[in-house]
PDB file of all heavy atoms in Angstrom:
ATOM      1  N   ALA A 191     -38.753  -6.456 -67.593  1.00  0.00           N
ATOM      2  CA  ALA A 191     -39.722  -6.779 -68.651  1.00  0.00           C
ATOM      3  C   ALA A 191     -41.047  -6.095 -68.380  1.00  0.00           C
ATOM      4  O   ALA A 191     -41.462  -5.962 -67.219  1.00  0.00           O
ATOM      5  CB  ALA A 191     -39.923  -8.293 -68.735  1.00  0.00           C
ATOM      6  N   LEU A 192     -41.699  -5.648 -69.425  1.00  0.00           N
ATOM      7  CA  LEU A 192     -43.021  -5.034 -69.293  1.00  0.00           C
ATOM      8  C   LEU A 192     -44.043  -6.081 -68.863  1.00  0.00           C
ATOM      9  O   LEU A 192     -44.026  -7.213 -69.349  1.00  0.00           O
ATOM     10  CB  LEU A 192     -43.449  -4.408 -70.618  1.00  0.00           C
ATOM     11  CG  LEU A 192     -42.636  -3.206 -71.104  1.00  0.00           C
ATOM     12  CD1 LEU A 192     -43.025  -2.860 -72.537  1.00  0.00           C
ATOM     13  CD2 LEU A 192     -42.846  -1.996 -70.196  1.00  0.00           C
ATOM     14  N   GLY A 193     -44.935  -5.684 -67.999  1.00  0.00           N
ATOM     15  CA  GLY A 193     -45.994  -6.573 -67.568  1.00  0.00           C
ATOM     16  C   GLY A 193     -47.145  -6.604 -68.552  1.00  0.00           C
ATOM     17  O   GLY A 193     -47.190  -5.819 -69.512  1.00  0.00           O
ATOM     18  N   PRO A 194     -48.124  -7.501 -68.361  1.00  0.00           N
ATOM     19  CA  PRO A 194     -49.295  -7.562 -69.240  1.00  0.00           C
ATOM     20  C   PRO A 194     -50.024  -6.214 -69.285  1.00  0.00           C
ATOM     21  O   PRO A 194     -50.210  -5.564 -68.251  1.00  0.00           O
ATOM     22  CB  PRO A 194     -50.170  -8.639 -68.583  1.00  0.00           C
ATOM     23  CG  PRO A 194     -49.212  -9.467 -67.783  1.00  0.00           C
ATOM     24  CD  PRO A 194     -48.169  -8.516 -67.287  1.00  0.00           C
ATOM     25  N   GLY A 195     -50.411  -5.808 -70.490  1.00  0.00           N
ATOM     26  CA  GLY A 195     -51.166  -4.571 -70.644  1.00  0.00           C
ATOM     27  C   GLY A 195     -50.340  -3.308 -70.562  1.00  0.00           C
ATOM     28  O   GLY A 195     -50.887  -2.200 -70.604  1.00  0.00           O
ATOM     29  N   VAL A 196     -49.010  -3.443 -70.448  1.00  0.00           N
ATOM     30  CA  VAL A 196     -48.117  -2.291 -70.375  1.00  0.00           C
ATOM     31  C   VAL A 196     -47.215  -2.315 -71.612  1.00  0.00           C
ATOM     32  O   VAL A 196     -46.573  -3.338 -71.892  1.00  0.00           O
ATOM     33  CB  VAL A 196     -47.261  -2.311 -69.097  1.00  0.00           C
ATOM     34  CG1 VAL A 196     -46.415  -1.039 -68.998  1.00  0.00           C
ATOM     35  CG2 VAL A 196     -48.149  -2.454 -67.867  1.00  0.00           C
ATOM     36  N   VAL A 197     -47.178  -1.218 -72.336  1.00  0.00           N
ATOM     37  CA  VAL A 197     -46.522  -1.204 -73.648  1.00  0.00           C
ATOM     38  C   VAL A 197     -45.689   0.067 -73.842  1.00  0.00           C
ATOM     39  O   VAL A 197     -45.571   0.887 -72.930  1.00  0.00           O
ATOM     40  CB  VAL A 197     -47.573  -1.339 -74.774  1.00  0.00           C
ATOM     41  CG1 VAL A 197     -48.247  -2.701 -74.718  1.00  0.00           C
ATOM     42  CG2 VAL A 197     -48.621  -0.224 -74.688  1.00  0.00           C
ATOM     43  N   ALA A 198     -45.134   0.197 -75.050  1.00  0.00           N
ATOM     44  CA  ALA A 198     -44.238   1.315 -75.351  1.00  0.00           C
ATOM     45  C   ALA A 198     -44.891   2.676 -75.094  1.00  0.00           C
ATOM     46  O   ALA A 198     -44.233   3.612 -74.625  1.00  0.00           O
ATOM     47  CB  ALA A 198     -43.758   1.221 -76.797  1.00  0.00           C
ATOM     48  N   LYS A 199     -46.165   2.816 -75.413  1.00  0.00           N
ATOM     49  CA  LYS A 199     -46.849   4.103 -75.193  1.00  0.00           C
ATOM     50  C   LYS A 199     -46.835   4.476 -73.715  1.00  0.00           C
ATOM     51  O   LYS A 199     -46.645   5.652 -73.358  1.00  0.00           O
ATOM     52  CB  LYS A 199     -48.284   4.014 -75.716  1.00  0.00           C
ATOM     53  CG  LYS A 199     -49.110   5.289 -75.544  1.00  0.00           C
ATOM     54  CD  LYS A 199     -48.517   6.447 -76.351  1.00  0.00           C
ATOM     55  CE  LYS A 199     -49.428   7.666 -76.295  1.00  0.00           C
ATOM     56  NZ  LYS A 199     -50.689   7.442 -77.026  1.00  0.00           N
TER      57      LYS A 199
END
Side-chain angles (χ1 to χ4, degrees):
L192 293 170
V196 184
V197 294
K199 180 63 174 291

